[in-house]
Amino acid sequence: MSKPRLLFAASEVYPFAKSGGLADVAHSLPRALSTDFDVYVVMPLYQFVDRERFNIVALGEHFDVMMGGVVYPVELYGCEYEGLDYRFIYSPLLCDRDFLYGPPESGYEDNAIRFGIFNYAILTLLKRHAYDIAHMNDWQCALVPLLIKDDKTIQTKTLFTIHNLAYQGTFESSALKALGIDDEHFTMEGIEFYGQVNFMKAGIAYADVITTVSPTYAKEVLTSEFGCGLEGFLKHHRSKLVGIVNGIDTEHFSPSEDRALVAPYTDLTGKAVNKKAYLKEVGLKGAKKPLFIFIGRFTWQKGMDLLIESLPKLASLECNIAILGEGEVKYNGELKSIAAECSNVHLEFGYDESLSHRMYAAADFLLMPSLFEPCGLNQMIAMHYGAMPIVHHVGGLADTVQTDKEFDPKTHDGHGVVFTRPTERSFINAVRHALELYGNKRYYSMITKHNMACDFSWNESARSYGELYRKVM
Ligand code: ADP
């Protein structure tokens, strides 16, 4: 029997283009699903995607997207990568840009049109190539379920995953006409949101199933604290809302085979070699001191204000701290001046995949004081690399990190230091507790070794997605 056909769409997929965890998920989940499904992954062919390196070629398929009376030409490209089939949508307006969504701090003004083209192009693929399931991710492809409903000829069922409710794709009401969407959808039950067009609402309203990337986040989005204004709307659709925790790609993130590392390792002795090498690389002193790292987007969500506020006190403790990231420029100045004052704080701006691997391998602890976290991947990567996460008890962090106080070697859960209030006091107390743990070498090593042996792969979660697909098919 042939496998069901799955079209998995995302606006970013590692290694072609990545700004965050969505790209990791869109790379590794389809691979895990490919044992049971005939999977095609589709994304825009941004101009910075390396066509040569990945052998991305034109497939000889051209079509026009007709949207709001304007014709946008589309050309289909493809490649096979790590045994999976990729499809790339090329349309000049969508793809010929320096950034995925816009320069830091702002989105491109015509993002509604850009990603409108992406959604209509996906619709064309669904019409021409008959898929059983279309799995759409985040607002950039959230219109597809609505377009399918309007089309009436497409039998494909849809699953819509919310990776982060804080980014909903809201645009001026004039976008409705430019997107060629009927006025009948511009209601509270449809895609209207305080007078604006909201892409995310289309996914929520019209998909056959909605998922969030962790069970706790699935509950949190129904509250005013985390629902970003859509809590009532999500409550209305809660009967089709499911939380499935993300996994990590344990081949890409594999300390024993990671080519980014000076010395791939399987135990804490091997890890220590990487720590020494990293400290030397960045000029931090004292391999005996615990190394705390922070890797991520510099945004409010990731607890940047809390981190910066606490950093001078953290730096006064017996430790080293290394920070890698980029994001809102308002944080750069303060970070720079703290790093300049404290010789045990190393700061690196930018996005650097290979450096991030070296940091996970070197670190004793990962700082993750996120104010909200739909799932979070860093904490799982860190545990897999033998670095203990220090996390705020929220969203996916609550689902994937159990407190060290509950440590039970018989469970298969990862453990770390968990704090329940996002305040400077609790964060610093958590770090102090981490230092105590670090001082108790036997206990620290026992938990860390246990974490390294936990299964953070996609196996279990891919099975849950497979079950959901089958339920609606
Ligand atoms: P997000 O909310 O940004 O999607 P996730 O925790 O889901 O956060 O995923 C973040 C992913 O991006 C992880 O793989 C992390 O290691 C990586 N990452 C984030 N910032 C950087 C950076 N500056 N350099 C390298 N990797 C980064």
Side-chain angles (χ1 to χ4, degrees), residues 461-473:
S461 299
R463 211 172 298 131
S464 304
Y465 276 108
E467 278 166 22
L468 278 185
Y469 296 161
R470 287 199 186 85
K471 227 188 220 174
V472 293
M473 253 161 51

Side-chain angles (χ1 to χ4, degrees), residues 297-312:
R297 293 180 291 117
F298 294 166
T299 62
W300 172 83
Q301 177 204 335
K302 297 289 173 187
M304 276 320 279
D305 299 276
L306 184 54
L307 179 72
I308 290 174
E309 193 185 324
S310 317
L311 208 47

Side-chain angles (χ1 to χ4, degrees), residues 12 18-25 163-164 167 246 248 253 295-299 301-302 324-326 348-357 360 368 373-379 381:
E12 51 182 276
K18 170 170 168 177
S19 79
L22 170 62
D24 287 328
V25 173
H163 293 261
N164 193 336
Y167 304 97
N246 283 338
I248 57 168
F253 291 108
I295 298 175
R297 293 180 291 117
F298 294 166
T299 62
Q301 177 204 335
K302 297 289 173 187
L324 166 66
E326 60 187 1
E348 198 110 18
F349 289 107
Y351 188 93
D352 188 333
E353 187 74 28
S354 153
L355 173 61
S356 76
H357 287 227
Y360 286 118
M368 211 157 167
E373 194 58 81
C375 180
L377 299 173
N378 300 32
Q379 78 281 12
I381 303 170

